[in-house]
Amino acid sequence: MDTRERLVETTSKLVRKKGYFGTGINEILKSVEVPKGSLYHHFPKGKDELIQEAILYGGEAQMLKYGNALRGKGVEEGLNAMIDVMIEELLASNFEDACPIAAVALASGTIDERIRKACDNVFKGWQNSLSGYLERRGVSNAEEKSQQLYAMFEGAYVLSQAHQDVKYLLLQKKFMKSILEA
C-alpha cells in the first residue's frame, strides 16, 4: 500500500472514532509515520481534501460489507445480516466506531461543501444499492423503502453507539417488516 492509500485508510479509521473535528493532521501523520510534506504532496488542499477521500474510501468499504451481507439472501434475511454487520462493528470497537459517513456528516454544516457532497454521494450510493437489491427481489416502491430503511438504520446506529447498547439496531429487525409490507 502506498503512502496516499495509507493516509486515506488511516484517516477513514480515525474519523470513525473521532469525527471530523477530533481527527487532527498530526495524529494522522504520526499513525502513518510520514512527514507533513507527504500529506501536502498527495493532498495539496490539506485536511479537507484528505477527509473527502477518506469519506469515499470508508463509504465504499462499508458498501462492500453490506453487499456481502446481502448477497444471495432473501430480503429479510439479507437486511438482518446487514444489521448484524453494524452490530458486530459496534461491539468489536467497544462502541467507539461510528458510521464512517455520519461521523463527518454531523459536522457538515460547518465544514467544506465538498465534504458535505461526498457524504451525500455516499449515502445516496448506499440507498441506491439497497433500492436495487430490493427491486431485484420484487419489493414494490423499492427506492422509497430503501430510504426509509436507511433512515431507520442510521438512527439506530447512532443511538446504539450513544447508549452503548445494540438494542436499537436489534429493534430494526422487528420493524423493517412493516416497511417492506407497506
Side-chain angles (χ1 to χ4, degrees):
M1 182 179 309
D2 71 13
T3 301
R4 186 179 201 287
E5 291 169 331
R6 289 185 310 139
L7 285 164
V8 171
E9 182 180 352
T10 298
T11 302
S12 179
K13 289 176 183 176
L14 288 171
V15 163
R16 281 189 83 146
K17 289 187 185 315
K18 300 180 174 204
Y20 175 83
F21 293 110
T23 302
I25 293 295
N26 291 332
E27 183 177 16
I28 295 166
L29 296 173
K30 183 178 178 184
S31 296
V32 180
E33 298 178 340
V34 296
K36 200 173 233 180
S38 291
L39 171 77
Y40 291 103
H41 170 74
H42 294 288
F43 301 97
K45 296 178 183 166
K47 179 182 176 180
D48 284 349
E49 185 178 9
L50 175 57
I51 295 278
Q52 184 179 350
E53 287 295 316
I55 290 166
L56 298 174
Y57 172 88
E60 289 173 4
Q62 198 69 26
M63 189 166 14
L64 182 61
K65 290 177 188 178
Y66 293 155
N68 288 336
L70 295 168
R71 189 168 288 110
K73 295 178 179 84
V75 176
E76 285 186 55
E77 182 186 7
L79 292 172
N80 281 330
M82 194 173 135
I83 291 169
D84 288 341
V85 166
M86 296 175 214
I87 291 170
E88 289 166 15
E89 287 179 345
L90 284 171
L91 293 174
S93 73
N94 197 29
F95 294 93
E96 289 183 12
D97 283 357
C99 166
I101 311 312
V104 175
L106 294 173
S108 68
T110 59
I111 57 179
D112 189 285
E113 175 64 9
R114 291 171 293 186
I115 294 173
R116 189 205 60 78
K117 284 184 180 180
C119 293
D120 181 53
N121 287 338
V122 169
F123 279 136
K124 284 179 181 172
W126 289 354
Q127 290 169 0
N128 290 338
S129 292
L130 183 58
S131 177
Y133 169 82
L134 295 174
E135 192 172 300
R136 289 187 298 278
R137 280 152 182 79
V139 174
S140 63
N141 299 318
E143 184 177 350
E144 181 179 280
K145 289 177 181 175
S146 73
Q147 292 170 359
Q148 290 174 324
L149 289 166
Y150 259 110
M152 275 182 18
F153 294 166
E154 279 296 323
Y157 198 104
V158 169
L159 288 171
S160 290
Q161 184 192 26
H163 294 288
Q164 295 192 347
D165 188 341
V166 296
K167 74 179 179 184
Y168 301 95
L169 282 165
L170 291 170
L171 278 172
Q172 303 319 298
K173 292 182 177 189
K174 179 180 175 183
F175 294 116
M176 75 178 157
K177 191 172 184 167
S178 62
I179 289 175
L180 293 171
E181 293 175 353

